[in-house]
Each structure stands twice: as structure tokens, then as C-alpha cells.
Amino acid sequence: MTFSTPMQARMALVLLALCAAMPAHADATGVRVTLIKTADAQVREALLVAGGDWSKELVLNHIAVLVEHPRFPEQRLMFDAGLSTAVETERQTNLHWLYRQWPLLSYQHLNPARQQLPAALRPKVIALSHIHWDHASGIADFPEAEVWAAPAERVFAERATPPAVFPTQVRSQAARWKDMVFTARPQCGFAQSQDVYGDGSVVLVSMPGHTPGSVGLWVSTGQGRKLLFVGDTVWLKRAVTEQLAKPLVSRSADAQPAQVRDQIERLADCVRLDPAVEIIPAHDAAAQDVLGYFPNWVN
């Protein structure tokens, strides 16, 4: 690995030190994770990544990520909630019919997480990567779960409007909202994090840009896999490896495009310094297919 400037070399050493500072016992916890595919959509690549091909159609998934820790079996965490049993009613209520035709606001093959999960596997906590409609939809199906969001995201939700945020979702009295609490504990180059179980195996990472309170989720599985779920910071994994922004036609989806660019650089540095890290965007079916879907678990 070579660096063109002394500053890049220093930054690489800092990032390497931050990654090395993660708890050494995190890989031995027996944590497992499963992806719950709640719907998908067909979208042109050119709408997803700068320089994408207009003739190439890709599958985008709407997923929820369920995490189970062996020492806390009753404290299952779901990262995002996917689409709900009432998603079409939500869309009809909140979206003008023109918006409902936009590929990035569409779906097919609906199979909500509530209908897939047996009662014994339902989450205690739903932690949102961000509060956009397609990530928050499924919270209505789990009224028994706490719903965690970054404080900045809660503020954003109070003023945001469709098509980004559906008031009928975020202002639901059925949801039990709780602020995430970040501390100055770096996680692979990201300065703020929240250690969910206290052993470094499952860590929420502050990743603002796509929305003011966007977060990622780091999971170290029992067999040593390192998964970093990045929400909508990027829509395709190759945007990290090639450091590509979203295309201009879709860039309005990001609250702060410059911050998103910074986060992409941090993600790229994280992978360069530790190639074992697997970046999993919230909608990238190709990246998710490698892991498989519920009822299969990644151990």
C-alpha cells in the first residue's frame, strides 16, 4: 500500500490504530445475524451510482437485519424494519400518485418481517439507520419493541415531509421512541459509537450525511465475520470500493452530500486497512445475496 502524501500516511496509521482498538474478544461472542427481505424493486443502475449504466437494471432490496447475542437472547436487536404489512396504505396516505411511480419509491414481492418471524424471534429493540419511510415502515408491526434513533434524526423527523419521511410512521403513538447515546469511542475510523451489548460485538456508528442522524451497524459474528451495515450512505457496495457519489438525478435524497462523500472516504479507508470488513448497504441485493436471508443465519 502506498500513500501520495505524509498526511494520508498519518491518517492511515490513525485509522489502523482505531480498528486495532476494538475489543479483542468481540469475535468470540457467538453473535449471529440474519437479513429479512421484506420486498424488492427493479431500478436502473444510473439512478444509484455516479456513472451507472442506464441500460442495466438492478434489484434493490428492502430489508431488516436481526441480530442475536447468545448472552442476551431476549434482547434481540433489529436494524431497520423493512416494509410493513400496511405499507401500501402508508404510501397512499403520504405520497402523491406521481411519487408512487418513482422507482426508488416503489416495491414488489412484499413479505413483511412481522409475517416471517415467529414470536420467539421478534426484536426487543428496533434501531433505525435513518428515519426515511422505507426503513421506518415496519416499526408499526412491532408495537412491543423500543425504537431507537439518533437524536439528530428525531429532530429531523419532526420537520421532514414526504416523500422522505411519512408523518404517519414517525409520529405513531404505538412506537416507543428512545434516543441513541453516542460516546467518543471510535469504531474503524468513525468517531462516535454506541456499544449495544458492551463487548464490541454489536456497535452503532454515527454516520451523518444521508440524513442528519444516519447511523451504521457494526457486527462481529461468532465465527469472526466483520459486517458493517451502512444504511443509505451508499446504495451500492461498489460506491465504497470505487468512491463514487450518488448520481445527480438522485442526489437530492442526501441531506448533506458533502458529508456523504466524507463517510464514503471513511468506509473506503476502513476496508483498505482491514479487507475482511464486509460493507452491506441497505438496498444492495447483490451484496446481501452473499449473506443469504432468513431463515438462514450468518454466524
Side-chain angles (χ1 to χ4, degrees):
M1 183 184 300
T2 59
F3 303 94
S4 58
T5 68
M7 177 61 74
Q8 288 180 341
R10 287 195 296 272
M11 286 299 297
L13 289 172
V14 169
L15 286 166
L16 185 59
L18 293 174
C19 287
M22 292 183 293
H25 59 281
D27 288 347
T29 60
V31 168
R32 64 177 188 164
V33 61
T34 184
L35 278 58
I36 305 167
K37 182 176 177 179
T38 66
D40 58 41
Q42 301 285 331
V43 179
R44 300 290 175 178
E45 185 185 56
L47 292 174
L48 304 175
V49 66
D53 188 344
W54 279 105
S55 67
K56 185 176 182 179
E57 197 166 55
L58 301 180
V59 176
L60 258 65
N61 286 339
H62 296 283
I63 67 165
V65 180
L66 187 65
V67 181
E68 187 175 72
H69 194 298
R71 296 211 314 271
F72 305 94
E74 301 304 317
Q75 300 294 323
R76 291 178 192 86
L77 179 138
M78 180 182 284
F79 186 62
D80 286 338
L83 301 191
S84 74
T85 54
V87 65
E88 192 51 37
T89 300
E90 294 172 348
R91 279 164 40 87
Q92 295 284 343
T93 302
N94 292 278
L95 286 181
H96 189 277
W97 72 270
L98 284 174
Y99 279 127
R100 295 200 296 271
Q101 314 312 309
W102 179 241
L104 292 174
L105 299 174
S106 66
Y107 69 92
Q108 60 185 3
H109 307 135
L110 180 65
N111 190 12
R114 182 74 183 197
Q115 295 179 349
Q116 296 188 53
L117 290 177
L121 288 179
R122 288 173 186 161
K124 179 74 170 182
V125 170
I126 298 173
L128 295 177
S129 68
H130 62 295
I131 217 155
H132 281 171
W133 73 277
D134 51 330
H135 297 257
S137 176
I139 63 176
D141 287 341
F142 296 94
E144 69 274 25
E146 285 187 345
V147 181
W148 293 5
E153 199 70 357
R154 295 283 302 280
V155 174
F156 167 69
E158 288 301 314
R159 58 180 173 79
T161 58
V165 174
F166 291 0
T168 54
Q169 292 173 353
V170 300
R171 295 171 190 168
S172 169
Q173 294 303 307
R176 294 157 53 201
W177 291 92
K178 181 178 178 180
D179 284 344
M180 296 175 184
V181 180
F182 296 111
T183 60
R185 183 182 179 89
Q187 184 76 15
C188 208
F190 295 89
Q192 298 282 323
S193 68
Q194 178 179 341
D195 191 335
V196 176
Y197 298 110
D199 62 2
S201 63
V202 181
V203 181
L204 296 164
V205 180
S206 180
M207 203 176 290
H210 179 60
T211 62
S214 285
V215 302
L217 178 72
W218 172 279
V219 180
S220 293
T221 72
Q223 294 184 4
R225 294 186 76 164
K226 302 174 183 179
L227 308 176
L228 184 52
F229 297 92
V230 300
D232 283 1
T233 297
V234 294
W235 286 329
L236 298 180
K237 181 178 180 178
R238 61 176 282 230
V240 173
T241 56
E242 300 176 29
Q243 295 197 50
L244 300 172
K246 294 185 177 79
L248 185 61
V249 68
S250 300
R251 203 168 298 171
S252 61
D254 291 333
Q256 294 291 336
Q259 274 192 317
V260 170
R261 185 70 185 180
D262 289 343
Q263 305 298 6
I264 292 172
E265 291 178 0
R266 288 188 178 92
L267 290 169
D269 286 338
C270 183
V271 174
R272 278 197 297 267
L273 291 167
D274 187 353
V277 175
E278 301 176 62
I279 302 295
I280 314 294
H283 298 291
D284 189 343
Q288 295 161 10
D289 287 347
V290 175
L291 302 180
Y293 303 96
F294 182 80
N296 297 320
W297 291 80
V298 180
N299 296 296

